[in-house]
Amino acid sequence: MLDRAEVEAALELDPAWSDAMRRHWTALVALAVLGDVKTQRLGALPRLRRKVLDLGERLRSVLAAREWIPQPRDQLKNALASALSLRESFAQVRSGAADLDAGADLGAFNEELEAIGARLVDLEPRMNAWAALLARRSEEDDNASPA
């Protein structure tokens, strides 16, 4: 059985990390929507903007409180799924950003994107801890004697 206090501690994100992610994403979306970034591919920029907005939705899911989820196991599963979705969404933005080829804000856009990527690397140990807690819970369930 998972200890509720242990799960709460595991799910608590560093406020500095959270603030930095918000700041970098806000700058990224501003550059994508209002900045001077260009591409030769027709329709690529609107698709990239949607991907950047989706990245923000995924980030919001990672940063969200999970007290409303009654079971600690489900809180961990939700956090891990949210983090995996964030990572996947970031990969899609990075892929879409490869189409950008001009504009005065292209360098700044790429800097913000790389800053988000670096912060996502910082999330990996946390994701591993969540997965380890879930695995431990599964092992405990497997080793429990039938009632």
Side-chain angles (χ1 to χ4, degrees):
M1 179 139 192
L2 292 170
D3 177 52
R4 188 170 296 277
E6 182 181 18
V7 170
E8 287 174 8
L11 291 174
E12 190 172 320
L13 296 173
D14 177 18
W17 182 89
S18 300
D19 290 344
M21 285 295 283
R22 282 186 184 98
R23 206 172 41 256
H24 289 302
W25 178 81
T26 301
L28 187 71
V29 76
L31 290 164
V33 175
L34 301 173
D36 181 22
V37 291
K38 299 174 184 171
T39 179
Q40 299 296 318
R41 294 195 55 203
L42 188 62
L45 199 50
R47 281 191 300 277
L48 177 62
R49 288 176 182 138
R50 284 191 296 275
K51 289 176 183 179
V52 170
L53 291 173
D54 184 62
L55 180 66
E57 288 290 325
R58 303 299 174 229
L59 176 59
R60 178 69 185 111
S61 293
V62 168
L63 300 177
R66 292 182 169 72
E67 298 92 39
W68 62 273
I69 302 173
Q71 297 301 317
R73 176 180 172 265
D74 294 333
Q75 290 176 351
L76 287 169
K77 285 172 55 178
N78 179 274
L80 188 55
S82 295
L84 291 170
S85 291
L86 176 63
R87 194 168 61 182
E88 181 180 322
S89 183
F90 174 76
Q92 291 175 1
V93 171
R94 181 177 266 167
S95 174
D99 290 333
L100 297 178
D101 53 18
D105 292 325
L106 180 58
F109 181 90
N110 285 328
E111 286 176 18
E112 293 299 337
L113 187 61
E114 291 310 310
I116 291 172
R119 297 282 180 183
L120 280 177
V121 170
D122 296 340
L123 187 60
E124 294 289 330
R126 182 71 56 157
M127 293 169 63
N128 290 336
W130 298 336
L133 281 170
L134 285 169
R136 190 180 81 202
R137 164 72 196 274
S138 294
E139 287 174 12
E140 289 171 0
D141 288 350
D142 290 345
N143 293 329
S145 57

